[in-house]
Amino acid sequence: QVVCSQRDSHQPDVAAMASPDASPPSAEGSRSARVVVASSAAMKIGALRRAVDDGCFGGAGALVEGVKAPSGINEQPWGHEETISGAMNRLAAAKEMAPGADFYVAIENGIFEVATSPELRCFDLAWVVVEAGADGRQAMAHSVGVEFPRTFVQQAREEGFDKTHAGHKLAAANGGVDVQDPHRWLSSDRLCREDLLVGALSAAWGQLERQRSGAS
């Protein structure tokens, strides 16, 4: 069964988290790395915490801090361009709100349309951006896409992507669906949104780590 840090979308936001057995030093030297994620949502902070515990961003000694950074885009991002823009806006806001961190992380989910025969299909995935505070190097990756029923995407579009998102429409039609984590229901409880974010965070961190090592 899937186990995630956040099982309930009504769980309160989290400002900062660190492993109780965190032990410096980290990859950043004699002190623990400070990693700021551009969100106060427990699910996103939980995903970053899991990536840290897996050895990313300096490992288990790193302090994970969340700040509520605006995306500046629609409630329901549509397509790669708008979704990446939202992540970049969150990243810029987080750097202003919490200066001096070793690393910054921004996450934005969006819906994407794919042309398949004989119909168009919709998928939900997240873009992740990580940045090194010292030199501004960035790396990006996206999560595995999960197909989203087109009916609910169309309902959200008709109401206005600036007002609602497809997850709300799916949850309204299917009791028990978590508005913030429809991925669990869509995958028959095999994956939650946090699981998907951990994979994207690890991929983005690996690319940034390679850049910082000087590898071509």
Side-chain angles (χ1 to χ4, degrees):
Q1 186 176 3
V2 176
V3 177
C4 299
S5 296
Q6 179 173 321
R7 299 298 298 265
D8 183 354
S9 63
H10 299 294
Q11 184 174 340
D13 289 347
V14 179
M17 298 171 64
S19 293
D21 57 349
S23 54
S26 73
E28 295 307 296
S30 60
R31 63 175 179 81
S32 298
R34 177 179 170 227
V35 189
V36 172
V37 58
S39 176
S40 59
M43 184 183 298
K44 292 181 180 180
I45 296 175
L48 181 54
R49 178 73 266 163
R50 285 172 58 186
V52 165
D53 289 344
D54 285 342
C56 301
F57 302 96
L63 172 68
V64 174
E65 177 183 342
V67 294
K68 193 170 185 177
S71 69
I73 59 173
N74 284 328
E75 179 77 6
Q76 176 60 75
W78 177 259
H80 291 286
E81 184 175 350
E82 183 179 13
T83 305
I84 291 172
S85 176
M88 292 297 188
N89 290 343
R90 290 186 191 275
L91 187 73
K95 291 192 290 183
E96 291 185 3
M97 297 168 70
D102 297 290
F103 302 106
Y104 292 92
V105 176
I107 300 168
E108 191 71 42
N109 274 77
I111 296 286
F112 308 87
E113 193 172 60
V114 179
T116 62
S117 181
E119 60 185 0
L120 295 172
R121 301 167 79 170
C122 294
F123 293 81
D124 178 284
L125 62 81
W127 272 103
V128 169
V129 185
V130 298
E131 181 176 311
D135 56 18
R137 295 190 189 200
Q138 290 184 353
M140 299 173 61
H142 63 68
S143 67
V144 171
V146 175
E147 186 167 7
F148 214 102
R150 187 173 179 82
T151 298
F152 303 114
V153 177
Q154 186 59 33
Q155 289 176 8
R157 186 200 297 273
E158 289 171 359
E159 183 173 333
F161 283 159
D162 59 329
K163 300 181 181 68
T164 189
H165 60 74
H168 282 295
K169 300 305 179 183
L170 176 66
N174 296 275
V177 174
D178 185 338
V179 171
Q180 298 302 322
D181 187 8
H183 308 75
R184 180 190 299 279
W185 185 87
L186 291 168
S187 67
S188 298
D189 207 37
R190 292 187 176 274
L191 289 169
C192 66
R193 183 181 175 197
E194 187 179 295
D195 293 330
L196 300 170
L197 294 180
V198 172
L201 285 164
S202 296
W205 167 253
Q207 295 174 83
L208 184 63
E209 194 173 35
R210 175 180 54 78
Q211 291 180 35
R212 297 172 74 233
S213 73
S216 59

